[in-house]
Amino acid sequence: MTRRLFALLALGALTMSTPALAAAHPGEHHHHHHEQSKPQIDWSALPADFQALKTELDQIRADQKSLFEQMKSQNEQIKEARKALTTEKRKTLKKPAKQLIDKMRISRDEMHNLRDLKQDAWQSFHDHAAKKEWSSAKGDLQTIIKQKRQIVEKQQNIIKLQKQLIMLMAPTQQSHLFADE
C-alpha cells in the first residue's frame, strides 16, 4: 500500500511538473540566435533576385560570427588582464575603464534594439513571402541586410573599445599586440 501511494504521489508530481519543465525549457523561439528559430526558407523557390540577397546575408552572418568570436576572445583577455591588476592600478584605471565600458554597453544596447527590429523585419518577410508578395518581401530582406550591417558596425565598435580597454589595463605588455592596426 505504501509503494502504491508513493507511486501515485510520484506520478501526480510528475504530471504537475511537466508544464513547469516545458516552461523552464522554452521552444526554439526563445533561442538567442533568432534567425535559426524561423521556419527554414526554400530560397530556390523565391524569385532569382533573392539569391543575391541571400548571398549577401550569408556573408554578413559569416562576418558577424567572426566578430563575435573576436569579441569573446578579447573579453577573455580583459578578464585575465583585470585579474593581473594591482589594487592601486585598478583605482587609477577605474574612471577611464568605466568610460570605455559605458560605451560598450551603449553599443550592446543599440545592437539589441537593432536585433529586435530585425526580428520584426524577418516576420514581415515570412508573411510577405508566404503571400508571394515579392516586392514587399524583397524590401524586407533589404531592411534586414541594412540592420545586420548596422549590427556589424556596433560589433566592430565594441571590438575597438575592448582593444582600448586591454591596452589601458596592460599598456606595456599588450600595446604591441595592436600596433599593426
Side-chain angles (χ1 to χ4, degrees):
M1 181 72 175
T2 306
R3 268 196 253 166
R4 184 178 230 184
L5 182 60
F6 180 74
L8 285 172
L9 287 173
L11 182 60
L14 184 59
T15 304
M16 290 172 51
S17 67
T18 302
L21 289 173
H25 299 285
E28 287 258 30
H29 63 281
H30 290 288
H31 195 261
H32 182 69
H33 298 287
H34 298 291
E35 289 94 45
Q36 296 169 353
S37 65
K38 291 287 179 196
Q40 290 298 317
I41 300 167
D42 180 7
W43 291 95
S44 64
L46 299 178
D49 53 343
F50 282 72
Q51 305 312 314
L53 295 173
K54 181 192 183 310
T55 300
E56 197 171 348
L57 273 173
D58 290 344
Q59 181 58 53
I60 295 170
R61 276 192 191 116
D63 293 345
Q64 283 185 289
K65 184 175 182 180
S66 173
L67 291 170
F68 176 74
E69 291 301 321
Q70 191 175 352
M71 288 167 59
K72 198 166 122 180
S73 171
Q74 287 183 177
N75 195 41
E76 289 302 315
Q77 290 177 26
I78 290 168
K79 285 179 184 178
E80 292 303 313
R82 187 174 184 275
K83 287 179 189 175
L85 292 176
T86 63
T87 305
E88 183 64 30
K89 184 81 170 173
R90 279 186 193 180
K91 286 179 184 176
T92 61
L93 295 179
K94 188 173 184 173
K95 187 175 181 178
K98 184 181 180 330
Q99 291 172 343
L100 290 171
I101 291 167
D102 286 345
K103 288 178 183 179
M104 281 187 253
R105 280 190 185 123
I106 289 168
S107 286
R108 184 202 61 210
D109 291 346
E110 290 171 344
M111 280 174 49
H112 288 172
N113 290 337
L114 284 165
R115 283 184 181 142
D116 290 343
L117 292 171
K118 182 179 56 97
Q119 282 313 108
D120 293 343
W122 271 116
Q123 183 59 51
S124 183
F125 167 77
H126 285 284
D127 294 345
H128 288 128
K131 296 175 188 170
K132 299 187 183 320
E133 295 172 350
W134 302 124
S135 179
S136 296
K138 185 176 178 181
D140 295 332
L141 274 182
Q142 290 167 333
T143 298
I144 291 164
I145 288 170
K146 179 183 168 195
Q147 291 163 335
K148 286 180 87 54
R149 283 190 181 135
Q150 290 171 330
I151 291 170
V152 165
E153 288 176 18
K154 303 299 178 195
Q155 286 177 297
Q156 290 168 335
N157 187 50
I158 289 173
I159 287 169
K160 182 184 83 173
L161 293 167
Q162 284 177 321
K163 286 178 183 178
Q164 290 174 10
L165 186 58
I166 291 167
M167 290 176 21
L168 179 69
M169 289 193 291
T172 56
Q173 297 171 359
Q174 299 288 330
S175 61
H176 68 281
L177 290 177
F178 307 112
D180 61 341
E181 295 183 7

